[in-house]
Structure formats: structure tokens, C-alpha cells
Amino acid sequence: MAGGVVGKNSCRKDYPGKMTLFVFLTCLVAATGGLIFGYDLGVSGGVTAMDPFLIKFFPSVYKMEEASQSTNQYCKFNSEFLTLFTSSLYVAALFASFIASTVTRVFGRKWSMFCGGITFLVGSAINGAAENLFMLILGRVFLGIGVGFANQSVPLYLSEMAPANLRGMLNIGFQLMITIGILAANLINYATAKIEGGWGWRVSLALAAVPAAIITIGSIFLPDTPNSLIERGYEEKAKSMLCKIRGTEDIQMEYDDMLEASKEAKAIQHPWSNILKRKYRPQLTIAILIPFFQQLTGINVIMFYAPVLFQTIGFKDDASLMSAVITGLVNVFATFVSIIFVDKVGRKMLFLQGGIQMFICQIFVGSLIAIMFGTGGQAEISKDYATMVLAFICIYVAGFAWSWGPLGWLVPSEIFPLEIRSAGQSITVSVNMFFTFVIAQVFLMMLCHMKFGLFFFFAGWMVIMTIFILFFLPETKNVPIEEMILVWKRHWFWGRFINDEDIHVANDVVGTMT
């Protein structure tokens, strides 16, 4: 296969693009890897709102919670150990993602998912049986390893299996499963909080085994992606699999592009050093900044600590958990908006619209809390006022669910060439996990010190990231994944980093760059 310089508008959109039952079912099973991440996001905040859990592991936090109403509402949950419980998972996920990169590349995407499911099972068992803080944190570490493996492999698998014109919709299945996991965790927390005897939190933590079992068993039956098969030398199997997932024998052009990408990939012995080359600068920048910005939307503040946050703004006990369930429902249904429109209006438009919506909501929530609590953090908030705050939080969650939520995983997973794809996805996951850890670790302290200004802090970041998307993110909808380099070459800014000789595609799209 000869490489060539490709015409400015020559990105093909004529690959077979129909939805076959086979590709739908495989992507559905693979997407369930998002359940483990989502369940953990939802369950950790819920159990920290349960008194028996706090009494057993964090008695000092429980005493502060039971203090009189004169207690500063901004600071009463501030505990380094409480945040360590939540955030320790993300440190483990960060390091696990680098190991997962090698497993994904050498053994295939499906076995990386399998490893993630197994370790998540172990973590759920330890957490459910925890008798001390050490066991609790150890379980979280195993959960983190599982999340690191799943988040590294699932988005790659979905992007490689999907036809170009359906890639966004199928890839967002991962985010949909995350939102379902969050909702399931919130509903379970709401139910287990009512269990007499004070052991409901054990049920919540142990039930993480259910989504773990789903992806563990499901991954065994998943086929390898054509890209992964070619990468590991199984070219005939890859061609047969491509025919099967596309539902047609007319796959030669797409297959040729995969072969050309594999040829280039095999010439690279050290993807981790090659990813630093100038020609990969656009993809590397996006792979770092997208997950970085995703965490600075403030969404994990809502998802981790929704019950705690709602207690802080005036909801009580069961009401705070119920409020978290409401936001979980909004999250699930709003994700369908992204599934419907991502391949029609494109990634960039959803990013921009969602960013503006979230900025407005952060300003309103910060202002409402400022009016009620001021800087002293002492007030008895009314039901109507708390409901108004909840409404704006729900609008905020909806904006995230159809923009930065799913697109934060979709875009990085589709922009890298095969030779550095696993390494690139690991960078995305590790950056995401690192800043998830940072935000989780410092949020309650920031709330205590910055007070309502914390919401304005996140609103300021929304402005920065929306401007970045406007000027620096090219549109990637409907572009075959092996021809994505053409998008970067045509971009007004990123094009300067890519030389004509860096572009390698199949013969039949060779043309002239204008």
C-alpha cells in the first residue's frame, strides 16, 4: 500500500454505514463496561450520606453533621479521610490505565475489559465486607484498577467497531451506561438507607459486583475488533470480521485503510515515545485537554457528593438521596439527546451548546447559594428555595449529559491513528482519573474555603473550555477513523504540525492537498 497526499475534501463517507444486529449487540455488551464506572460514581456519594457508614468509618464527620444549625454549612463535611475514600479509586485507575494500554495492544480490547471486570469484582467483595478503613481503601484500589482497564478499552472498542456515520451514537453507549450505573446506584442507596440495623451501606457497596459480573462475562463472548486483529497479525480474521460487522462484502476500501494504518503501526516500536512527535501534537493536546476540561466542568462535584451537597443546601436525610435520584434520571434521559444528535449536528455544536448551558447554571446556583448562605454559611433554607437550586442543577446535569459527558470519551477515542491509539487512550484515561482524584480530594475543602465562589470558579472554566472548543477542535463526525489525520491537516491551526509525508492512506484516495 502506498501512502499519499490527500485532497482537501477527500475524507470518504462511503464506507458501508448500516446498523447490523451483530454490531449493535457487540457494542451494547461492550458499553456495559461503563456500568462499573457509573455505579461507583453514584454509590460513593450515597453511602457517605448514610449515618451508620459515617459512624463506623468517619465518626468525626458524623459528629460535625449532627452539630447544631449554627454550624457553617460550607464546612461541616470537610474531612480528608472522607475524600480519600472517594478519590483513592481514581489514583489506582490512573496507574492501571498505563498497564491496560499494553494489555489492550498486545492481547486485544476484549481481554482488557475482562481484566477490568475481574478486579472490580474483587474490589466490590472487599468493600462489602469492610471492617476498617484499610479494607475500605483497599477495596477502592481494586475498584480503581477495574475502572482504569474498562475506561481504557471500552471507548476504543466502540469506536473501532462502529461504522463512521454511526460511531458517535454507538460510542455514546458507554456514557449512557455510565449514567445508568449512576442512577442505579442512587436508587439502591435510597433503598438501602432505609434498612434497619445500619448495614445498608454494605449492600450498596457489595452490589457493585453486579455490573462487574456483566462486563466480565460479556467480554468473554465479544469478538475482537478488525483493527486489533490486524494489529496482532490476524489479517484474514480481520477481513472476515469486518464483513460481518458491516453486513456486506463491500469492505475493501475500509480494509485497505486498516492495513495501511497497521503497516505504519508495526514500524513503531515505542508508541509512548512516538506519541510525543510533532505530527501527533494535535491529538495529544486534545487527549490531555478534553478530560482535563471535563473534570473542571464541576460535574463530579455533583455526582460524587450530590447527597452531601443537597444536605448542605437544606435537604434532609432521605430527601437528599431522592434529589440525587432525580439528577440521575435527568442524566440518563439527557444522554439520549446526544445519542440522537451527535452524528447529525456534530460533536462541536453539542460541546458549545452544552458549555453555554452549564455556564449559565453554575452562575445561577452560585448566586442562589450566595444569597441564602452568604459567606457565613449559616441559614435555614426553605423548601422552595432548595427546589429552585435543584432545578438549576438538573438543567446543568442535562447540559453535561449531552455534551461534555459523552463527548469527553468519544472524541479522544476516535482521533488517534492505530500506531499510538492504545497509548493515546491511556493518556486520556489517566488525565481524566488524575483530575477526578484532585477534584474529589479538594472539593470539600474548596467548598469550605471558597464557599459559593466555588460555583463561579467552575463557571470561569466553562468559559475557557468553550472558547477552546470553538477555535481548536475540528469536527470529526462521519470521518472514517483511519482517515482522521486529514481533519487535522485541514485545520487552520493544527495543520502546521502535520507534513504532507505524514499522511498515509490507501491508494484510492490519493490526490493533492490544497
Side-chain angles (χ1 to χ4, degrees), residues 183-218:
L183 176 61
N186 287 336
L187 290 170
I188 288 169
N189 284 335
Y190 185 67
T192 58
K194 299 179 181 297
I195 295 177
E196 295 184 6
W199 50 272
W201 61 269
R202 291 192 184 276
V203 177
S204 291
L205 294 178
L207 282 177
V210 175
I214 292 173
I215 186 59
T216 301
I217 296 171

Side-chain angles (χ1 to χ4, degrees), residues 448-459:
C448 182
H449 291 90
M450 297 178 67
K451 304 174 173 57
F452 59 83
L454 180 62
F455 295 92
F456 299 136
F457 169 80
F458 288 123

Side-chain angles (χ1 to χ4, degrees), residues 252-263:
Q252 192 61 45
M253 288 190 298
E254 185 173 9
Y255 182 66
D256 287 345
D257 271 353
M258 289 183 181
L259 287 176
E260 187 64 34
S262 177
K263 179 182 176 182

Side-chain angles (χ1 to χ4, degrees), residues 131-145:
E131 289 296 335
N132 51 55
L133 193 58
F134 172 78
M135 287 185 68
L136 199 65
I137 301 302
L138 179 64
R140 295 288 290 174
V141 169
F142 275 97
L143 294 176
I145 294 171

Side-chain angles (χ1 to χ4, degrees), residues 33 182 186 214 287 302 350 357 361 367 387 425 438:
I182 293 170
N186 287 336
I214 292 173
I302 302 297
L350 287 177
Q357 180 171 320
C361 290
S367 299
T387 301
Q425 182 66 12
V438 171

Side-chain angles (χ1 to χ4, degrees), residues 250-276:
D250 183 22
I251 49 85
Q252 192 61 45
M253 288 190 298
E254 185 173 9
Y255 182 66
D256 287 345
D257 271 353
M258 289 183 181
L259 287 176
E260 187 64 34
S262 177
K263 179 182 176 182
E264 182 137 337
K266 289 177 181 177
I268 293 179
Q269 300 297 319
H270 306 288
W272 286 106
S273 59
N274 275 271
I275 203 171
L276 300 176

